[in-house]
Amino acid sequence: DVKVTQSSRYLVKRTGEKVFLECVQDMDHENMFWYRQDPGLGLRLIYFSYDVKMKEKGDIPEGYSVSREKKERFSLILESASTNQTSMYLCASSSRRIQSNQPQHFGDGTRLSIL
Amino acid sequence: GDSVTQMEGPVTLSEEAFLTINCTYTATGYPSLFWYVQYPGEGLQLLLKATKADDKGSNKGFEATYRKETTSFHLEKGSVQVSDSAVYFCALTDAGNMLTFGGGTRLMVKP
């Protein structure tokens, strides 16, 4: 089974801090994604990456950056955390080697609170 | 662009009742269709999938059939359990790697 591991289930930070959310997958997937999930807004794509050192903006990239130095690891960075970034963050990965339209596999999520 | 519409919840059922959660989609190509489930406090898990018209995905007693003529992928289960209480997301991916999600439907099953 695919395993996507997010480093923290719960995280509390203060306004203005630089926050790192880490995600690791063990299936050699090329694609990795970061979403945030908010009540009434569903899942929204923040950033994604097709390969090492590659990144693409999703629907709501403002206030975030990402890093993909190794294939298995995709980090989400909040440069200067703000209270409106309090949310559930979900990491996902998928393969595109075999065929297209493969499902994404998700981690358990990090519930981030910014005080 | 692509879009997924699913029925708004919450859906409240008694144990052993029949479940249907409606999902319709619009897509320009030939999408693959998915149902994901999110249990309280957890991430999304892939429940089932279908990659072409008339395919039926099934898992854990849940089923959904890819209906191209009606652009639908409704989720069904014959007899729900309390443990099925969760949020269910319909999604599609079309010609690549991006997922388009529906808004999610919360299911509450009472004993």
Side-chain angles (χ1 to χ4, degrees):
Chain A
D1 275 357
V2 176
K3 186 69 175 176
V4 179
T5 303
Q6 295 184 228
S7 54
S8 305
R9 291 296 300 274
Y10 302 94
L11 205 54
V12 180
K13 296 292 183 180
R14 296 201 174 275
T15 302
E17 280 192 70
K18 190 169 186 175
V19 180
F20 294 84
L21 302 184
E22 306 287 347
C23 176
V24 176
Q25 49 91 7
D26 66 356
M27 284 301 292
D28 201 34
H29 283 170
E30 296 81 9
N31 306 321
M32 296 190 75
F33 307 83
W34 276 107
Y35 297 88
R36 64 178 282 176
Q37 183 180 19
D38 301 287
L41 298 175
L43 278 83
R44 294 180 291 169
L45 182 64
I46 305 170
Y47 266 97
F48 60 100
S49 169
Y50 286 141
D51 206 344
V52 176
K53 297 199 184 292
M54 294 182 66
K55 59 184 179 182
E56 298 284 343
K57 293 180 180 179
D59 300 319
I60 51 163
E62 297 79 18
Y64 303 94
S65 63
V66 290
S67 173
R68 185 112 182 255
E69 295 296 318
K70 294 184 178 182
K71 191 174 186 180
E72 68 271 17
R73 186 180 296 272
F74 192 36
S75 303
L76 180 69
I77 304 157
L78 285 65
E79 298 289 345
S80 177
S82 64
T83 55
N84 63 11
Q85 293 178 309
T86 292
S87 186
M88 171 74 125
Y89 290 87
L90 294 168
C91 175
S93 73
S94 69
S95 171
R96 58 185 170 89
R97 274 177 296 146
I98 302 171
Q99 61 182 86
S100 62
N101 298 356
Q102 290 297 297
Q104 292 179 18
H105 300 267
F106 285 80
D108 285 338
T110 296
R111 190 165 293 282
L112 175 64
S113 297
I114 307 297
L115 305 180
Chain B
D2 297 346
S3 67
V4 176
T5 303
Q6 59 183 109
M7 60 192 293
E8 290 192 23
V11 173
T12 304
L13 295 173
S14 297
E15 210 166 19
E16 299 184 3
F18 186 86
L19 169 71
T20 300
I21 300 178
N22 290 337
C23 171
T24 57
Y25 68 90
T26 58
T28 52
Y30 300 94
S32 292
L33 302 174
F34 308 97
W35 277 100
Y36 284 86
V37 58
Q38 186 177 32
Y39 297 104
E42 298 185 10
L44 275 69
Q45 299 176 27
L46 180 65
L47 181 59
L48 53 85
K49 67 177 182 179
T51 57
K52 60 183 188 298
D54 300 324
D55 267 3
K56 178 185 281 188
S58 61
N59 185 25
K60 299 181 181 179
F62 290 90
E63 292 183 342
T65 301
Y66 189 142
R67 301 282 188 203
K68 195 169 189 296
E69 64 277 10
T70 54
T71 62
S72 64
F73 193 54
H74 305 321
L75 183 68
E76 296 181 336
K77 186 175 186 182
S79 176
V80 293
Q81 306 300 312
V82 172
S83 57
D84 294 326
S85 298
V87 180
Y88 292 82
F89 292 91
C90 186
L92 68 82
T93 182
D94 188 7
N97 309 285
M98 306 304 296
L99 269 179
T100 300
F101 286 95
T105 302
R106 181 176 300 277
L107 171 66
M108 299 170 58
V109 180
K110 297 185 175 181

